[in-house]
Amino acid sequence: MSEYLNTRYRDLSPYTPGEQPLDKAYIKLNTNENPYPPGPGVLNALNEAAVKDLRLYEDPDNRMVIQALAEHYGVKPSQVCVTCGSDEALDLAIMAFGEDGFAFPDLTYNFYKVFCQLHNTSMQVIPLNEDFTIEVGRYCGIGRGVILANPNAPTGLVLSPEQIEQILKSDPHHVVIVDEAYIDFSESGSMIPYVNRYPNLLVVQTFSKSRSLAGARVGYAIGSESLISDLERIRNAMNPYGLSRLSQAAAVAAVHEQEYYDENCRRVISSRNWFIRKLEELGFSVLPSHTNFVLAQSDRIDGKVLYQKLKDRGILVRYFPDARIASAVRISIGTDEDMHQAAEKIREVLAEWNASQK
Protein backbone atom coordinates (compact mmCIF):
# COMPACT_ATOMS: atom_id res chain seq x y z
CA MET A 1 0.00 0.00 0.00
CA SER A 2 1.09 3.60 -0.47
CA GLU A 3 2.11 6.02 2.25
CA TYR A 4 -0.95 8.11 1.33
CA LEU A 5 -3.63 5.60 2.29
CA ASN A 6 -5.78 6.75 5.19
CA THR A 7 -4.61 4.87 8.28
CA ARG A 8 -8.26 4.00 8.96
CA TYR A 9 -8.20 1.62 5.97
CA ARG A 10 -4.78 0.03 6.34
CA ASP A 11 -6.13 -3.00 8.20
CA LEU A 12 -9.16 -3.39 5.92
CA SER A 13 -9.66 -6.96 4.71
CA PRO A 14 -11.44 -6.75 1.35
CA TYR A 15 -14.13 -9.20 0.33
CA THR A 16 -12.82 -12.04 -1.84
CA PRO A 17 -15.25 -12.82 -4.69
CA GLY A 18 -15.50 -16.19 -6.37
CA GLU A 19 -13.35 -16.86 -9.40
CA GLN A 20 -14.57 -15.53 -12.75
CA PRO A 21 -12.12 -17.21 -15.15
CA LEU A 22 -11.59 -15.90 -18.67
CA ASP A 23 -9.05 -18.39 -19.94
CA LYS A 24 -10.84 -21.74 -19.77
CA ALA A 25 -14.33 -23.17 -20.14
CA TYR A 26 -15.50 -24.43 -16.75
CA ILE A 27 -18.72 -25.75 -15.34
CA LYS A 28 -19.10 -22.83 -12.94
CA LEU A 29 -20.48 -23.97 -9.61
CA ASN A 30 -18.66 -21.48 -7.39
CA THR A 31 -20.63 -18.21 -7.25
CA ASN A 32 -24.26 -19.29 -6.82
CA GLU A 33 -25.35 -17.88 -10.16
CA ASN A 34 -28.60 -19.15 -11.65
CA PRO A 35 -27.97 -21.77 -14.36
CA TYR A 36 -30.97 -20.63 -16.39
CA PRO A 37 -31.11 -17.48 -18.56
CA PRO A 38 -33.33 -14.46 -17.93
CA GLY A 39 -36.85 -14.71 -19.29
CA PRO A 40 -37.90 -13.51 -22.75
CA GLY A 41 -39.42 -10.34 -21.31
CA VAL A 42 -36.04 -9.29 -19.96
CA LEU A 43 -34.32 -9.85 -23.29
CA ASN A 44 -36.98 -7.83 -25.13
CA ALA A 45 -36.78 -5.01 -22.58
CA LEU A 46 -32.99 -4.87 -22.84
CA ASN A 47 -33.11 -4.68 -26.62
CA GLU A 48 -35.69 -1.91 -26.59
CA ALA A 49 -33.88 0.11 -23.92
CA ALA A 50 -30.55 -0.22 -25.73
CA VAL A 51 -31.96 0.91 -29.07
CA LYS A 52 -34.12 3.76 -27.84
CA ASP A 53 -32.76 5.15 -24.62
CA LEU A 54 -29.16 4.18 -23.88
CA ARG A 55 -27.92 7.67 -24.81
CA LEU A 56 -29.97 9.05 -21.88
CA TYR A 57 -29.21 8.96 -18.18
CA GLU A 58 -31.34 6.56 -16.21
CA ASP A 59 -34.04 7.61 -13.75
CA PRO A 60 -32.07 8.30 -10.54
CA ASP A 61 -35.15 7.50 -8.45
CA ASN A 62 -35.65 4.03 -9.96
CA ARG A 63 -39.39 4.72 -10.03
CA MET A 64 -40.46 2.00 -12.46
CA VAL A 65 -38.51 -0.68 -10.59
CA ILE A 66 -39.86 0.51 -7.24
CA GLN A 67 -43.43 0.52 -8.54
CA ALA A 68 -43.10 -3.00 -9.91
CA LEU A 69 -41.64 -4.33 -6.66
CA ALA A 70 -44.20 -2.51 -4.50
CA GLU A 71 -47.06 -4.03 -6.47
CA HIS A 72 -45.45 -7.47 -6.41
CA TYR A 73 -44.94 -7.51 -2.64
CA GLY A 74 -48.01 -5.51 -1.62
CA VAL A 75 -46.16 -2.60 -0.01
CA LYS A 76 -46.06 1.13 -0.68
CA PRO A 77 -43.48 2.49 -3.14
CA SER A 78 -42.13 4.56 -0.24
CA GLN A 79 -41.20 1.27 1.45
CA VAL A 80 -38.80 0.19 -1.33
CA CYS A 81 -35.21 1.29 -1.96
CA VAL A 82 -33.57 -0.02 -5.15
CA THR A 83 -29.79 -0.35 -5.22
CA CYS A 84 -26.83 -1.58 -7.26
CA GLY A 85 -27.05 -5.16 -6.10
CA SER A 86 -28.01 -6.11 -2.57
CA ASP A 87 -24.43 -5.30 -1.53
CA GLU A 88 -25.17 -1.59 -1.90
CA ALA A 89 -28.34 -1.96 0.16
CA LEU A 90 -26.33 -3.66 2.92
CA ASP A 91 -23.63 -1.00 2.71
CA LEU A 92 -26.18 1.82 3.03
CA ALA A 93 -27.94 0.09 5.92
CA ILE A 94 -24.74 -0.42 7.90
CA MET A 95 -23.88 3.24 7.41
CA ALA A 96 -27.38 4.39 8.32
CA PHE A 97 -28.14 2.19 11.32
CA GLY A 98 -24.78 1.15 12.74
CA GLU A 99 -24.21 3.80 15.39
CA ASP A 100 -24.30 1.16 18.16
CA GLY A 101 -22.72 -1.52 15.98
CA PHE A 102 -24.01 -4.77 14.50
CA ALA A 103 -23.96 -8.43 15.47
CA PHE A 104 -23.81 -11.30 13.00
CA PRO A 105 -22.60 -14.92 12.87
CA ASP A 106 -18.97 -15.92 12.48
CA LEU A 107 -19.78 -17.99 9.41
CA THR A 108 -21.88 -15.89 7.09
CA TYR A 109 -21.59 -13.52 4.15
CA ASN A 110 -18.19 -11.91 4.66
CA PHE A 111 -19.24 -8.52 3.29
CA TYR A 112 -20.95 -7.71 6.63
CA LYS A 113 -17.54 -7.64 8.30
CA VAL A 114 -15.99 -5.70 5.42
CA PHE A 115 -18.67 -3.00 5.48
CA CYS A 116 -18.41 -2.66 9.25
CA GLN A 117 -14.64 -2.26 8.97
CA LEU A 118 -15.04 0.23 6.13
CA HIS A 119 -17.41 2.44 8.14
CA ASN A 120 -15.70 1.97 11.50
CA THR A 121 -18.80 0.24 12.85
CA SER A 122 -18.29 -1.98 15.89
CA MET A 123 -18.93 -5.69 15.39
CA GLN A 124 -20.07 -8.48 17.65
CA VAL A 125 -19.29 -11.73 15.86
CA ILE A 126 -21.33 -14.57 17.37
CA PRO A 127 -20.19 -18.15 16.70
CA LEU A 128 -22.63 -20.57 15.16
CA ASN A 129 -23.45 -23.69 17.11
CA GLU A 130 -21.41 -26.82 16.47
CA ASP A 131 -24.07 -27.97 13.99
CA PHE A 132 -23.83 -24.57 12.23
CA THR A 133 -27.27 -23.43 13.41
CA ILE A 134 -27.89 -19.95 14.80
CA GLU A 135 -28.63 -19.64 18.53
CA VAL A 136 -31.44 -17.08 18.37
CA GLY A 137 -31.25 -16.15 22.05
CA ARG A 138 -27.73 -14.81 21.62
CA TYR A 139 -29.10 -12.05 19.35
CA CYS A 140 -31.94 -10.97 21.61
CA GLY A 141 -31.74 -7.70 23.54
CA ILE A 142 -28.03 -7.12 22.89
CA GLY A 143 -28.26 -3.35 22.42
CA ARG A 144 -27.07 -3.22 18.82
CA GLY A 145 -28.28 -3.98 15.33
CA VAL A 146 -28.40 -7.50 13.95
CA ILE A 147 -27.60 -8.77 10.44
CA LEU A 148 -28.77 -12.23 9.45
CA ALA A 149 -28.42 -13.91 6.09
CA ASN A 150 -31.53 -16.05 5.89
CA PRO A 151 -30.95 -18.61 4.50
CA ASN A 152 -27.39 -18.30 5.68
CA ALA A 153 -24.35 -18.56 3.46
CA PRO A 154 -22.27 -20.65 3.22
CA THR A 155 -24.22 -23.09 5.40
CA GLY A 156 -27.56 -22.97 3.56
CA LEU A 157 -29.50 -23.22 6.84
CA VAL A 158 -32.59 -21.14 7.54
CA LEU A 159 -34.40 -19.54 10.48
CA SER A 160 -38.18 -19.48 10.63
CA PRO A 161 -40.06 -16.15 10.66
CA GLU A 162 -41.03 -16.90 14.26
CA GLN A 163 -37.38 -17.14 15.29
CA ILE A 164 -36.57 -13.83 13.63
CA GLU A 165 -39.58 -12.27 15.33
CA GLN A 166 -38.04 -13.16 18.69
CA ILE A 167 -35.04 -10.98 17.85
CA LEU A 168 -37.19 -8.14 16.50
CA LYS A 169 -39.37 -8.07 19.61
CA SER A 170 -36.42 -8.24 22.00
CA ASP A 171 -35.01 -4.83 20.99
CA PRO A 172 -37.34 -2.52 19.05
CA HIS A 173 -34.75 0.28 19.20
CA HIS A 174 -32.24 -1.36 16.88
CA VAL A 175 -32.58 -2.45 13.26
CA VAL A 176 -32.59 -6.10 12.27
CA ILE A 177 -31.38 -6.57 8.69
CA VAL A 178 -32.52 -9.83 7.11
CA ASP A 179 -30.52 -10.59 3.97
CA GLU A 180 -32.73 -12.83 1.84
CA ALA A 181 -30.53 -13.36 -1.21
CA TYR A 182 -31.53 -17.05 -1.32
CA ILE A 183 -35.05 -16.98 0.11
CA ASP A 184 -36.72 -18.03 -3.16
CA PHE A 185 -35.06 -21.44 -2.87
CA SER A 186 -36.50 -21.98 0.61
CA GLU A 187 -39.92 -22.96 1.90
CA SER A 188 -39.41 -20.89 5.05
CA GLY A 189 -41.00 -17.73 3.67
CA SER A 190 -39.79 -14.15 3.36
CA MET A 191 -39.94 -11.59 6.16
CA ILE A 192 -41.33 -8.96 3.77
CA PRO A 193 -44.92 -9.56 4.99
CA TYR A 194 -43.73 -8.54 8.47
CA VAL A 195 -42.31 -5.11 7.65
CA ASN A 196 -45.50 -3.27 8.61
CA ARG A 197 -45.58 -5.11 11.93
CA TYR A 198 -41.98 -4.34 12.92
CA PRO A 199 -40.62 -0.83 12.20
CA ASN A 200 -37.09 -2.06 12.98
CA LEU A 201 -37.15 -4.76 10.26
CA LEU A 202 -35.27 -4.21 7.01
CA VAL A 203 -35.41 -6.98 4.39
CA VAL A 204 -32.77 -7.03 1.65
CA GLN A 205 -33.12 -9.07 -1.54
CA THR A 206 -31.43 -9.36 -4.93
CA PHE A 207 -32.19 -10.11 -8.57
CA SER A 208 -28.88 -11.98 -8.85
CA LYS A 209 -29.94 -15.45 -7.72
CA SER A 210 -33.52 -16.53 -8.38
CA ARG A 211 -34.13 -13.97 -11.15
CA SER A 212 -30.95 -14.73 -13.16
CA LEU A 213 -29.70 -11.12 -13.28
CA ALA A 214 -26.36 -11.33 -11.45
CA GLY A 215 -24.68 -9.33 -14.22
CA ALA A 216 -27.26 -6.54 -14.02
CA ARG A 217 -26.47 -5.75 -10.34
CA VAL A 218 -29.97 -5.07 -9.02
CA GLY A 219 -30.88 -5.26 -5.35
CA TYR A 220 -33.45 -3.72 -3.06
CA ALA A 221 -34.44 -3.16 0.55
CA ILE A 222 -38.00 -3.20 1.88
CA GLY A 223 -38.99 -1.84 5.27
CA SER A 224 -40.91 0.90 7.02
CA GLU A 225 -41.21 4.25 5.25
CA SER A 226 -38.89 5.86 7.77
CA LEU A 227 -36.13 3.26 7.30
CA ILE A 228 -36.35 3.54 3.53
CA SER A 229 -36.27 7.33 3.75
CA ASP A 230 -33.00 7.03 5.69
CA LEU A 231 -31.49 4.73 3.07
CA GLU A 232 -32.55 7.02 0.23
CA ARG A 233 -30.98 10.00 2.00
CA ILE A 234 -27.60 8.28 2.07
CA ARG A 235 -27.95 6.73 -1.40
CA ASN A 236 -28.67 10.11 -2.96
CA ALA A 237 -25.71 11.62 -1.12
CA MET A 238 -23.35 8.96 -2.49
CA ASN A 239 -24.48 7.70 -5.86
CA PRO A 240 -27.91 8.83 -7.11
CA TYR A 241 -27.20 7.62 -10.64
CA GLY A 242 -26.55 4.10 -9.43
CA LEU A 243 -28.65 1.66 -11.40
CA SER A 244 -28.16 1.77 -15.16
CA ARG A 245 -31.02 2.23 -17.60
CA LEU A 246 -30.50 -1.32 -18.89
CA SER A 247 -30.56 -2.77 -15.39
CA GLN A 248 -33.75 -0.91 -14.57
CA ALA A 249 -35.44 -2.20 -17.73
CA ALA A 250 -34.33 -5.77 -16.99
CA ALA A 251 -35.54 -5.59 -13.40
CA VAL A 252 -39.02 -4.33 -14.28
CA ALA A 253 -39.42 -7.03 -16.92
CA ALA A 254 -38.24 -9.75 -14.53
CA VAL A 255 -40.80 -8.79 -11.89
CA HIS A 256 -43.53 -8.97 -14.53
CA GLU A 257 -42.64 -12.54 -15.52
CA GLN A 258 -42.28 -13.99 -12.03
CA GLU A 259 -43.85 -17.34 -12.97
CA TYR A 260 -40.89 -18.05 -15.26
CA TYR A 261 -38.43 -17.58 -12.37
CA ASP A 262 -40.59 -19.51 -9.93
CA GLU A 263 -40.43 -22.49 -12.28
CA ASN A 264 -36.65 -22.15 -12.55
CA CYS A 265 -36.40 -22.17 -8.76
CA ARG A 266 -38.36 -25.41 -8.66
CA ARG A 267 -35.94 -26.88 -11.20
CA VAL A 268 -32.95 -25.79 -9.11
CA ILE A 269 -34.48 -27.27 -5.95
CA SER A 270 -35.11 -30.58 -7.71
CA SER A 271 -31.50 -30.67 -8.97
CA ARG A 272 -30.25 -29.73 -5.50
CA ASN A 273 -32.12 -32.56 -3.83
CA TRP A 274 -30.84 -35.09 -6.38
CA PHE A 275 -27.27 -33.86 -5.96
CA ILE A 276 -27.43 -34.06 -2.17
CA ARG A 277 -28.48 -37.70 -2.42
CA LYS A 278 -25.57 -38.41 -4.78
CA LEU A 279 -23.08 -36.72 -2.46
CA GLU A 280 -24.37 -38.70 0.51
CA GLU A 281 -24.01 -41.91 -1.50
CA LEU A 282 -20.36 -40.92 -2.00
CA GLY A 283 -19.90 -40.56 1.75
CA PHE A 284 -20.25 -36.79 2.10
CA SER A 285 -21.95 -35.03 4.97
CA VAL A 286 -24.22 -32.34 3.52
CA LEU A 287 -26.01 -29.66 5.50
CA PRO A 288 -29.74 -29.44 4.68
CA SER A 289 -29.78 -26.65 2.11
CA HIS A 290 -32.48 -24.01 1.61
CA THR A 291 -30.47 -22.27 -1.11
CA ASN A 292 -29.11 -22.85 -4.61
CA PHE A 293 -25.90 -24.35 -3.21
CA VAL A 294 -24.79 -27.08 -0.83
CA LEU A 295 -22.01 -27.21 1.75
CA ALA A 296 -20.48 -30.68 1.71
CA GLN A 297 -17.55 -32.30 3.43
CA SER A 298 -15.94 -35.73 3.49
CA ASP A 299 -13.56 -37.28 5.99
CA ARG A 300 -11.89 -38.95 2.99
CA ILE A 301 -10.51 -35.77 1.37
CA ASP A 302 -9.67 -32.22 2.43
CA GLY A 303 -11.81 -29.41 1.04
CA LYS A 304 -8.90 -27.56 -0.53
CA VAL A 305 -7.65 -30.73 -2.24
CA LEU A 306 -11.11 -31.50 -3.59
CA TYR A 307 -11.51 -27.93 -4.85
CA GLN A 308 -8.20 -28.03 -6.75
CA LYS A 309 -8.71 -31.49 -8.24
CA LEU A 310 -12.19 -30.56 -9.44
CA LYS A 311 -10.80 -27.36 -10.95
CA ASP A 312 -8.20 -29.42 -12.79
CA ARG A 313 -11.12 -31.38 -14.25
CA GLY A 314 -13.05 -28.28 -15.34
CA ILE A 315 -15.43 -27.96 -12.37
CA LEU A 316 -15.23 -24.78 -10.29
CA VAL A 317 -16.51 -24.95 -6.71
CA ARG A 318 -15.83 -22.68 -3.72
CA TYR A 319 -13.35 -23.39 -0.95
CA PHE A 320 -13.19 -21.28 2.22
CA PRO A 321 -10.04 -21.35 4.38
CA ASP A 322 -11.98 -20.65 7.61
CA ALA A 323 -10.93 -23.37 10.06
CA ARG A 324 -14.50 -24.45 10.82
CA ILE A 325 -15.27 -25.32 7.19
CA ALA A 326 -11.82 -25.90 5.71
CA SER A 327 -12.71 -29.54 5.16
CA ALA A 328 -15.76 -28.56 3.09
CA VAL A 329 -16.57 -27.14 -0.32
CA ARG A 330 -19.57 -25.08 -1.35
CA ILE A 331 -21.10 -26.23 -4.61
CA SER A 332 -23.62 -24.13 -6.51
CA ILE A 333 -26.50 -25.90 -8.19
CA GLY A 334 -26.43 -25.82 -11.98
CA THR A 335 -28.48 -27.61 -14.58
CA ASP A 336 -29.17 -31.33 -14.27
CA GLU A 337 -26.37 -31.97 -16.78
CA ASP A 338 -23.97 -29.81 -14.74
CA MET A 339 -24.76 -31.69 -11.55
CA HIS A 340 -24.44 -35.12 -13.18
CA GLN A 341 -20.99 -34.15 -14.47
CA ALA A 342 -20.03 -32.72 -11.07
CA ALA A 343 -21.10 -35.91 -9.30
CA GLU A 344 -19.10 -38.03 -11.74
CA LYS A 345 -15.98 -35.86 -11.39
CA ILE A 346 -16.25 -35.99 -7.59
CA ARG A 347 -16.49 -39.78 -7.78
CA GLU A 348 -13.36 -39.84 -9.97
CA VAL A 349 -11.45 -37.57 -7.58
CA LEU A 350 -12.34 -39.70 -4.56
CA ALA A 351 -11.27 -42.89 -6.31
CA GLU A 352 -7.96 -41.39 -7.40
CA TRP A 353 -7.31 -39.84 -3.98
CA ASN A 354 -8.09 -43.05 -2.10
CA ALA A 355 -5.75 -44.99 -4.37
CA SER A 356 -2.95 -42.46 -3.82
CA GLN A 357 -3.25 -42.74 -0.04
CA LYS A 358 -2.70 -46.49 0.08
Side-chain angles (χ1 to χ4, degrees), residues 28-29 32-37 181-187 208-212 259-277 289-294 331-340:
K28 244 181 122 284
L29 305 177
N32 303 336
E33 294 146 327
N34 199 301
Y36 302 108
Y182 302 99
I183 196 65
D184 292 332
F185 303 102
S186 170
E187 296 180 356
S208 294
K209 310 303 181 183
S210 63
R211 292 191 179 107
S212 303
E259 290 182 4
Y260 170 84
Y261 299 103
D262 290 341
E263 176 58 27
N264 285 347
C265 286
R266 288 189 285 269
R267 295 166 72 185
V268 168
I269 291 169
S270 176
S271 300
R272 179 191 73 197
N273 294 341
W274 176 88
F275 188 59
I276 288 173
R277 291 194 297 270
S289 175
H290 297 263
T291 64
N292 65 338
F293 61 82
V294 297
I331 307 172
S332 304
I333 302 301
T335 64
D336 284 346
E337 181 181 354
D338 292 338
M339 304 323 294
H340 279 81

Side-chain angles (χ1 to χ4, degrees), residues 202-250:
L202 186 73
V203 181
V204 174
Q205 289 197 13
T206 179
F207 281 72
S208 294
K209 310 303 181 183
S210 63
R211 292 191 179 107
S212 303
L213 290 179
R217 309 305 303 133
V218 185
Y220 52 99
I222 297 179
S224 67
E225 291 179 280
S226 58
L227 288 185
I228 297 304
S229 175
D230 294 338
L231 292 186
E232 289 288 3
R233 175 189 294 265
I234 296 179
R235 186 185 71 82
N236 283 308
M238 291 181 59
N239 190 21
Y241 284 100
L243 196 62
S244 76
R245 182 173 285 276
L246 292 181
S247 293
Q248 290 185 29

Side-chain angles (χ1 to χ4, degrees), residues 148-165:
L148 295 172
N150 196 53
N152 194 22
T155 66
L157 302 181
V158 69
L159 294 174
S160 68
E162 292 75 21
Q163 289 175 301
I164 295 174
E165 280 191 284

Side-chain angles (χ1 to χ4, degrees), residues 10-191:
R10 293 188 179 184
D11 294 325
L12 183 66
S13 300
Y15 174 74
T16 303
E19 296 169 87
Q20 297 285 357
L22 300 176
D23 60 337
K24 181 179 178 180
Y26 289 93
I27 295 177
K28 244 181 122 284
L29 305 177
N30 66 326
T31 51
N32 303 336
E33 294 146 327
N34 199 301
Y36 302 108
V42 167
L43 302 181
N44 290 336
L46 286 172
N47 183 64
E48 183 176 348
V51 170
K52 291 183 177 180
D53 299 322
L54 199 54
R55 65 184 180 83
L56 303 173
Y57 283 114
E58 68 273 18
D59 172 19
D61 296 319
N62 304 302
R63 285 169 292 185
M64 295 297 291
V65 186
I66 287 173
Q67 185 63 40
L69 288 169
E71 292 176 1
H72 179 70
Y73 290 111
V75 297
K76 299 176 183 177
S78 54
Q79 291 181 271
V80 183
C81 176
V82 171
T83 56
C84 287
S86 58
D87 290 338
E88 186 185 31
L90 294 165
D91 188 18
L92 295 174
I94 288 171
M95 278 193 284
F97 310 121
E99 187 169 355
D100 294 326
F102 276 103
F104 45 81
D106 61 335
L107 285 178
T108 192
Y109 188 34
N110 194 51
F111 240 140
Y112 307 152
K113 182 180 292 185
V114 173
F115 286 142
C116 284
Q117 290 176 327
L118 188 62
H119 302 304
N120 201 29
T121 300
S122 68
M123 296 175 282
Q124 182 178 349
V125 180
I126 300 176
L128 296 176
N129 294 327
E130 286 298 314
D131 61 357
F132 299 110
T133 57
I134 289 173
E135 186 66 46
V136 171
R138 301 187 69 181
Y139 295 85
C140 291
I142 57 175
R144 61 175 60 223
V146 171
I147 311 174
L148 295 172
N150 196 53
N152 194 22
T155 66
L157 302 181
V158 69
L159 294 174
S160 68
E162 292 75 21
Q163 289 175 301
I164 295 174
E165 280 191 284
Q166 292 180 40
I167 302 171
L168 288 160
K169 291 175 181 177
S170 72
D171 186 357
H173 302 295
H174 290 90
V175 171
V176 177
I177 302 170
V178 182
D179 180 359
E180 293 186 341
Y182 302 99
I183 196 65
D184 292 332
F185 303 102
S186 170
E187 296 180 356
S188 177
S190 171
M191 290 301 294

